[in-house]
Amino acid sequence: MTHESLQEIVCCMGQPVAGNPSQFMMERAFAAAGLDWRYLTLEVSPDDLPAAVAGMKAMGFRGGNFTIPHKVAVIPHLKRLTEAAELMGAVNCIFAEEGGFVGENTDGKGFVSALKEVMQPEGKKVVLFGAGGAARAIAVELGLNKVASIDIVNRDAGRGRDLADLLSERVGITTKWIPWNGKHELPEDADLVINGTSIGLNDGSAMVPVKVDSFRESMLVADVIFNPPETAFLQAAQDAGCQTIDGLGMLVNQGAIGFKIWTGIEPDQGVMREALEEYLGI
């Protein structure tokens, strides 16, 4: 590294992004790897998204992450998508190549990596709340990992049916959309229950509308929310005797995948997890 060298820059864009710990985690990982890189957290409105992506290209950003509400909206502004991102219809990670940015999706891969630490997904019956960007990514990756079935519980009929059709027709998984009206009752034979919505983000009191007396000790319950990691949804599941997975494992794993895409280097995931825990005060 010489004093003439420019720092490489990546970023996270979303709205809201206050409280997102990715910058703290990624810059710790860059330092641990001996890389003079910077990760910026940028509040970008939907109306400003096209200009923001153009600005990334103009300023030579190496890539970035996209979070709510940009995971689907960013797609028209990219040069191309990877096969996985195209199948999911959502992007959370982009990387630069000549002439523009390539869209990738690491959310589902990160979730499945965290899941496999405690459960092998093959043959499992899944209930998934939500059908947005993160939920789509998780559903597709679970399908590719040969779960037995996925119930998509979602209020919006269009999104719910679209995701169910995608999984049935292109991934070959038994899937159905279930309208989310009031508190949802979980089927007794569910193996894995996932909150794939933004309910609970930055609000520890917000509860996913589910009948808590339908939790069973045999269920593994997961939440994509990382701040706070101990959501009301996970607490209710724990009170019912369920094993749980918080959003931190998913965030570390998907962050590690993005890190390698941008830098070509495997990061120290221990450093990344420790950074997240420090940031969140846990």
Side-chain angles (χ1 to χ4, degrees), residues 50-218:
V53 176
M56 290 177 66
K57 181 181 176 183
M59 290 184 284
F61 282 33
R62 292 292 294 270
N65 293 124
F66 288 83
T67 186
I68 296 168
H70 302 320
K71 291 183 179 184
V72 176
V74 73
I75 291 174
H77 310 294
L78 304 177
K79 178 183 176 183
R80 66 180 180 89
L81 302 181
T82 64
E83 182 179 4
E86 187 277 326
L87 184 61
M88 295 170 189
V91 166
N92 78 319
C93 179
I94 69 173
F95 59 92
E97 70 173 22
E98 186 175 355
F101 290 106
V102 179
E104 172 64 287
N105 198 303
T106 62
D107 273 340
K109 294 178 177 69
F111 178 85
V112 170
S113 293
L115 173 66
K116 285 183 176 179
E117 295 175 11
V118 293
M119 171 189 280
Q120 292 303 311
E122 184 172 357
K124 300 300 189 293
K125 295 184 177 181
V126 181
V127 175
L128 173 62
F129 292 101
R136 287 176 69 90
I138 289 169
V140 167
E141 290 291 348
L142 287 173
L144 294 174
N145 279 269
K146 304 184 185 307
V147 295
S149 64
I150 305 179
D151 288 351
I152 306 298
V153 183
N154 196 62
R155 292 186 178 86
D156 185 283
R159 270 188 169 186
R161 289 197 180 102
D162 179 64
L163 179 53
D165 290 345
L166 171 73
L167 294 169
S168 298
E169 296 168 10
R170 297 191 61 186
V171 187
I173 295 298
T174 301
T175 315
K176 61 182 176 182
W177 166 67
I178 299 173
W180 198 354
N181 299 316
K183 293 184 177 181
H184 184 72
E185 183 170 357
L186 300 169
E188 291 187 8
D189 62 349
D191 299 301
L192 175 62
V193 180
I194 308 162
N195 173 34
T197 77
S198 60
I199 297 171
L201 182 61
N202 299 321
D203 184 357
S205 65
M207 178 61 184
V208 175
V210 59
K211 292 185 178 179
V212 296
D213 60 0
S214 64
F215 281 122
R216 299 288 183 272
E217 290 185 4
S218 58

